[in-house]
Amino acid sequence: LSAAPESVRAGGMVALIERKKRGGELDEAELRWICDGYLSGEIPDYQVAAWLMAVRWQGMSDAETLALTRALEGTGATLDWGGLERTAVDKHSTGGVGDKTSLILVPLMTAAGAAFVKMSGRGLGHTGGTLDKLESIPGFDVALSLDALRAQVRRIGCALVGQSPELVPGDGALYALRDVTGTVDSLPLIASSIMSKKLAAGAPVIVLDVKFGSGAFMRTIEEARTLAAIMVRIGEGAGRRVRAVLSPMEEPLGCTVGNALEIREVIDTLHGRGPRDLWELVLELGTHLMLLAGLAADEERARSRLGELRDSGAGARCFAELIRAQGGDPRVVEEPERLPSAPRVVALTAPEAGWVARVDARTVGDAALELGAGRRTKSDVLDLSVGIRLLAKTGDRVEAGAPLAELHAARVEDAERAGRALLEAYRVEAEPPPVPSATYEVVG
Amino acid sequence: LSAAPESVRAGGMVALIERKKRGGELDEAELRWICDGYLSGEIPDYQVAAWLMAVRWQGMSDAETLALTRALEGTGATLDWGGLERTAVDKHSTGGVGDKTSLILVPLMTAAGAAFVKMSGRGLGHTGGTLDKLESIPGFDVALSLDALRAQVRRIGCALVGQSPELVPGDGALYALRDVTGTVDSLPLIASSIMSKKLAAGAPVIVLDVKFGSGAFMRTIEEARTLAAIMVRIGEGAGRRVRAVLSPMEEPLGCTVGNALEIREVIDTLHGRGPRDLWELVLELGTHLMLLAGLAADEERARSRLGELRDSGAGARCFAELIRAQGGDPRVVEEPERLPSAPRVVALTAPEAGWVARVDARTVGDAALELGAGRRTKSDVLDLSVGIRLLAKTGDRVEAGAPLAELHAARVEDAERAGRALLEAYRVEAEPPPVPSATYEVVG
């Protein structure tokens, strides 16, 4: 446990709350004392709750946010990939509907010569997190010990696992308290939570996918830009190479929302048959990873290398190897029909002809939740087979009665209920919508 | 227990915290649900702590502050003095060094024909609270049951007791949490805490003594004015007759600081031998009580009536009757040497000649604390006999080597240590200071 700093010996936790409340700053020793003391039970949760609300109120400078990140990182073990031949890379997405980029990037970047250890969560909401998606692959084990993880990365260069409870236990504890005290939506708390896990995971290269829009936690690009800048400065302050990509989350990423359905789309994409928007974002994030890891000399060469690795099947083979290493059935990569599938597939049809002007990501997510693809509460059990496949997205022409989407459901009633919700996500207009900009804003 | 309002059924306590955090308002049903739920243990303290900090951040409108006051009042029993012949009056002071006005006003106003039930606390700091001062009277019992209290008021018209645990239990619980979460200094929380106890105590007439200055909780007259205005509006909103007096607390009130020493000064004042500043404030507060209770037609007649009641000995006799009713030795009123006295009395002398320009109240309080007159923590045991008697106050001429004050101590070492602290309180200058304004600002 951290020794109490002088300020704490003089005034205890109340003095630190008072200082934060008045807009002052805490230093790393003080924040370390709070994080360690909360974990050990020496600082009661009501004092930590008051401090969290004071942080939500007054914010934190870059220096204080970095100090909190370091303090959180220090609550547990940290990984060090310095002994590898490969450069370790990592990425994080702030989350969106249909986001399966990690599952494509991990094998592709490993094929490119990086080491990629991706720790993921389960998450609440629309669909499961990356872990749930992976568990739709028969046999896949996401719970590796740190020793098994290190051995696998030395052997095959990558791993896709759950957040280790040995890393940053303070973050989980603090997040649980934020969740019940109205202090989730604080940028420095969000940034330090994300970055503490990235720092502890040990990769010197980190690319952040910060999403904005109706289906994202950050509703506007301005908020996303602010969060991205904070996280990049934390990472750089901790000596990492970091870049953030701001990506829109107005409509779902790719065409599938639902755990096994998304794994199918990952496999399709690795085979060169994936949806364009998904592949574009993979290329964008992958390019920054390549450049920061020194695996490509410039952007153009990074992009073409990633294309080659896909087209040669190297990425797909790497995914199969990863699945085998973690106990899953690697045949799914060539035979995706081995993934669980829902007994009922019901089409949602367009009530009238026109151009799709919008497919609202959040509403699609809610419809997937109706089908059982996601969790409303932590104890909900997912149906990994159910979900939504979008057949028409923004900019597509549809005729009256033509299918807009497929609902993969356990029961016809579920499909009907979710179909009514999904129809609300679609806006069909008489004129084609403007073509959206295809470039991403990059921070760092 | 209050039924959960609709908002709570929908979003729980987190929804209420979120609303407050964004600057919204809670209504009386929601605040009642929080107060009752916290007391019953159904709402965990960490959620109440986060809400308190959100209140400290966003403040409260008058309507919300009144609603919280009502919600707190509703956590316990309330008193009703409607059946008395006399009009019940009450007063509250926000606290200062050497403040013993309640002990003079209660007998004086009772002699004037009011009913006066004063509930007081013990408090931390410089000296004990009113209760501790009373307990320096041998045998005096401050813990009456509500039934005993009602019977005594019917019989003799007054009582001086501790805050009943049956009244406003929610305030004590909330205050204890505020104390350890950095949320004490919120005007709506301060105002609702004070006024909930005044409303529950049932008097239709309330006079508030809101102190400002170095020795007061409110450092500036502006803060005091704001707090006074909030409390007056709460009281009026609840249908009471309320007025607030803003009184300075730069130097101690009267000449004594310390429990038994202050009781001596109370007795001196009731006998017409008290210090001028103390009597002036008693007259000011008493005048407003007389006017609001309909016991005097105008300010001049109120003041002269109070003077008569003092000079005739009616106030002193009333004090003796009150002491007897509560088990104390009433002979102290004529023989104050029966009060406990400290074994050592050491003089503090002026190092140089000049005019006293300032006797800093807070520093005098700290010196009294050094002697053992006050509590640093709730568990400290007071020495009721010790304290300070100021022999020179602002505006007085002193010669080098002449006594500035007496230190009444248990041991000579205590007196020496406290004497060094007390000397810091005095500022002696070559020129006489300007004569301070003798008028009080009144709110309401």
Side-chain angles (χ1 to χ4, degrees), chain B residues 80-406:
Chain B
D80 181 356
W81 304 106
L84 292 178
E85 306 268 298
R86 294 156 171 257
T87 299
V89 303
D90 201 351
K91 65 87 73 169
H92 179 82
S93 161
T94 58
V97 181
D99 185 6
K100 65 277 287 175
T101 49
S102 292
L103 296 166
I104 305 164
L105 276 167
V106 167
L108 217 49
M109 288 300 303
T110 308
F116 206 143
V117 183
K118 177 75 182 87
M119 293 193 175
S120 302
R122 293 196 186 270
L124 285 173
H126 334 303
T127 64
T130 297
L131 296 191
D132 301 296
K133 295 170 192 176
L134 284 166
E135 283 177 346
S136 71
I137 300 170
F140 197 99
D141 180 12
V142 297
L144 302 192
S145 71
L146 291 186
D147 281 344
L149 179 67
R150 289 190 192 95
Q152 178 176 315
V153 173
R154 269 195 299 275
R155 204 171 71 249
I156 67 164
C158 60
L160 266 165
V161 296
Q163 181 64 39
S164 164
E166 292 171 65
L167 265 55
V168 205
D171 175 65
L174 215 56
Y175 188 85
L177 188 59
R178 285 168 57 201
D179 196 36
V180 292
T181 54
T183 50
V184 167
D185 60 342
S186 154
L187 287 180
L189 294 179
I190 294 167
S192 56
S193 168
I194 293 171
M195 293 305 292
S196 64
K197 288 178 284 193
K198 294 292 113 179
L199 296 188
V205 167
I206 302 164
V207 168
L208 305 163
D209 178 7
V210 182
K211 297 195 179 293
F212 61 93
S214 109
F217 188 61
M218 303 281 122
R219 296 302 174 93
T220 67
I221 194 167
E222 290 76 20
E223 289 175 282
R225 198 179 281 138
T226 306
L227 176 62
I230 296 171
M231 292 197 291
V232 166
R233 289 194 298 259
I234 292 173
E236 288 174 347
R240 310 295 167 95
R241 281 165 272 161
V242 192
R243 202 165 283 172
V245 173
L246 307 187
S247 70
M249 179 37 66
E250 294 297 339
E251 63 176 6
L253 188 62
C255 298
T256 58
V257 179
N259 301 286
L261 288 172
E262 294 193 42
I263 293 289
R264 277 177 184 251
E265 193 164 69
V266 164
I267 293 167
D268 283 347
T269 304
L270 286 169
H271 285 138
R273 300 185 301 261
R276 185 178 178 83
D277 63 337
L278 176 59
W279 178 244
E280 271 306 316
L281 183 58
V282 166
L283 270 184
E284 178 74 15
L285 298 170
T287 294
H288 294 295
L289 286 168
M290 297 282 280
L291 292 173
L292 293 180
L295 293 167
D298 58 39
E299 210 164 306
E300 199 184 329
R301 272 178 267 196
R303 289 177 80 89
S304 66
R305 179 80 184 121
L306 289 167
E308 285 162 26
L309 290 166
R310 178 189 67 169
D311 298 340
S312 69
R317 281 193 299 278
C318 208
F319 192 41
E321 194 175 357
L322 171 62
I323 293 170
R324 184 184 298 110
Q326 292 190 226
D329 182 350
R331 292 175 298 176
V332 298
V333 175
E334 298 306 325
E335 300 161 34
E337 58 279 10
R338 291 181 178 274
L339 291 165
S341 61
R344 303 288 175 182
V345 180
V346 176
L348 178 75
T349 54
E352 55 194 312
W355 298 86
V356 177
R358 177 169 178 76
V359 188
D360 182 68
R362 188 166 296 260
T363 313
V364 175
D366 291 343
L369 194 56
E370 284 283 342
L371 291 168
R375 285 183 190 85
R376 286 180 213 271
T377 69
K378 283 175 197 162
S379 56
D380 281 359
V381 176
L382 301 186
D383 183 341
L384 298 172
S385 72
V386 302
I388 292 167
R389 184 189 299 276
L390 303 173
L391 303 174
K393 288 185 71 179
T394 301
D396 289 343
R397 169 81 197 170
V398 291
E399 300 307 325
L404 289 173
E406 288 171 3

Side-chain angles (χ1 to χ4, degrees), chain A residues 14 17-18 21-22 45-47 49-50 53-54 56-57 177 179-182 185, chain B residues 14 17-18 21-22 45-47 49-50 53-54 56-57 177 179-182 185:
Chain A
V14 175
I17 299 170
E18 291 274 1
K21 171 184 101 176
R22 295 181 203 286
D45 45 15
Y46 52 82
Q47 291 190 317
M53 187 59 83
R56 170 67 179 76
W57 170 8
L177 188 59
D179 196 37
V180 293
T181 55
D185 61 343
Chain B
V14 176
I17 299 170
E18 291 275 2
K21 172 184 99 176
R22 295 179 204 286
D45 44 16
Y46 52 83
Q47 292 191 317
M53 187 59 83
R56 170 66 180 77
W57 170 8
L177 188 59
D179 196 36
V180 292
T181 54
D185 60 342

Side-chain angles (χ1 to χ4, degrees), chain A residues 380-399:
Chain A
D380 279 0
V381 175
L382 301 186
D383 183 341
L384 297 171
S385 72
V386 303
I388 292 166
R389 184 189 298 277
L390 304 174
L391 303 174
K393 288 185 70 180
T394 302
D396 290 342
R397 168 80 197 172
V398 293
E399 301 305 327

